[in-house]
Amino acid sequence: MTNAISAHGLALIQELEGFQAEPKQLPTGGWVVGYSHVRTEQPGEAVNENEAIELLTGDLATFETLVNTLVTQPLTQTQFDALVSFAFSVGSEAFSKSQVLRRVNANDYLAAACAMEAWRKSDVGGELAIIDSLVCRRAAEIKRL
């Protein structure tokens, strides 16, 4: 069975990502707009919320496929939504190599939830630091896993 993000899952990711109408340049040189949609070439135009949702839905399709492909255990809808949110946040390669995925595939959802705790840090000025927004995001995802 192939799962798809639910309306609740989409709303969760929208809330966690936050909406940004105007393109903002990233330190890596790309541009982010809407709900964390990345444009690599040009900043492009501002977006409204409906356009941002369309971009997000398109971006999430990759992560829906990733979770459907790599997870070998049956998932509830809320578990699927949580894993898509997590994969979208950390990226495809990191999700593929994560303890979260290994523990879900071992049918140990409690250990998978605990493994999500390791993903609360980001590079700040060359040092890893716990980021409040990632703490909140992981708590929301763990609650659903």
Side-chain angles (χ1 to χ4, degrees):
M1 179 175 140
T2 300
N3 293 309
I5 195 86
S6 71
H8 291 293
L10 183 62
L12 171 69
I13 294 169
Q14 286 175 259
E15 179 184 334
L16 295 170
E17 293 294 334
F19 173 71
Q20 182 171 305
E22 295 292 329
K24 178 181 175 186
Q25 190 157 27
L26 298 167
T28 57
W31 301 84
V32 66
V33 68
Y35 296 104
S36 297
H37 176 74
V38 176
R39 295 174 175 163
T40 55
E41 300 295 320
Q42 300 280 334
E45 299 293 320
V47 296
N48 63 39
E49 281 204 60
N50 289 334
E51 293 166 330
I53 291 169
E54 286 181 30
L55 291 170
L56 177 61
T57 302
D59 292 342
L60 290 178
T62 299
F63 297 95
E64 290 170 311
T65 300
L66 183 70
V67 172
N68 279 313
T69 301
L70 297 180
V71 172
T72 59
Q73 297 296 319
L75 297 171
T76 66
Q77 183 65 55
T78 56
Q79 289 170 323
F80 180 80
D81 292 345
L83 289 173
V84 170
S85 174
F86 177 73
F88 182 67
S89 175
V90 303
S92 298
E93 185 176 345
F95 176 75
S96 299
K97 296 177 181 180
S98 72
Q99 285 293 321
V100 174
L101 176 61
R102 281 195 276 292
R103 291 174 180 175
V104 165
N105 283 340
N107 202 31
D108 191 346
Y109 296 97
L110 180 58
C114 291
M116 281 185 170
E117 291 284 336
W119 295 87
R120 301 173 301 148
K121 296 180 181 179
S122 187
D123 185 313
V124 177
E127 304 231 357
L128 282 180
I130 293 176
I131 306 298
D132 290 342
S133 62
L134 290 178
V135 171
C136 292
R137 183 182 194 117
R138 296 293 97 88
E141 292 163 346
I142 288 166
K143 180 179 175 184
R144 288 156 177 81
L145 190 62

